Amino acid sequence: AIFYHGVDSAYNTTKSTTVYYNKITFQKVPYTFTVDGVDWKGMMFVTVSKEGFYVITFEAAADAWDANYSTMEKMLKDFRMRGWETRE
């Protein structure tokens, strides 16, 4: 992770769940952490394709999480595997 400098506590994760966006199955792993005294929230989405796997992360300061969550969901609903990863 990029934020190793200034991270006050280790990542705290909770149980993963399975979610579906745009006909793609993701494992969703929420986590929290603190940077320079500011609480942050994060969400990791992992999916597997025949070429490998994708890890998509979304992080925001805890007080901005709710305001930005719907934008993140819109991006996931539009996510498509195109190009080299879907060629036969």
Side-chain angles (χ1 to χ4, degrees), residues 41 58-75:
K41 288 185 177 182
F58 172 65
E59 295 179 344
D63 61 356
W65 181 264
D66 292 337
N68 292 296
Y69 191 82
S70 64
T71 301
M72 182 275 309
E73 278 199 313
K74 287 178 188 175
M75 293 184 325

Side-chain angles (χ1 to χ4, degrees), residues 15-84:
K15 185 178 177 182
S16 70
T17 57
T18 301
V19 294
Y20 305 92
Y21 291 103
N22 200 24
K23 299 179 183 177
I24 301 171
T25 303
F26 291 93
Q27 287 298 310
K28 177 174 80 169
V29 181
Y31 56 92
T32 60
F33 59 100
T34 303
V35 177
D36 296 328
V38 177
D39 292 331
W40 284 69
K41 288 185 177 182
M43 191 82 63
M44 185 175 2
F45 297 86
V46 181
T47 190
V48 178
S49 73
K50 58 185 167 185
E51 296 294 329
F53 63 93
Y54 290 89
V55 178
I56 301 169
T57 58
F58 172 65
E59 295 179 344
D63 61 356
W65 181 264
D66 292 337
N68 292 296
Y69 191 82
S70 64
T71 301
M72 182 275 309
E73 278 199 313
K74 287 178 188 175
M75 293 184 325
L76 279 173
K77 288 176 182 176
D78 195 44
F79 180 77
R80 288 167 179 64
M81 295 183 201
R82 296 186 174 215
W84 63 268

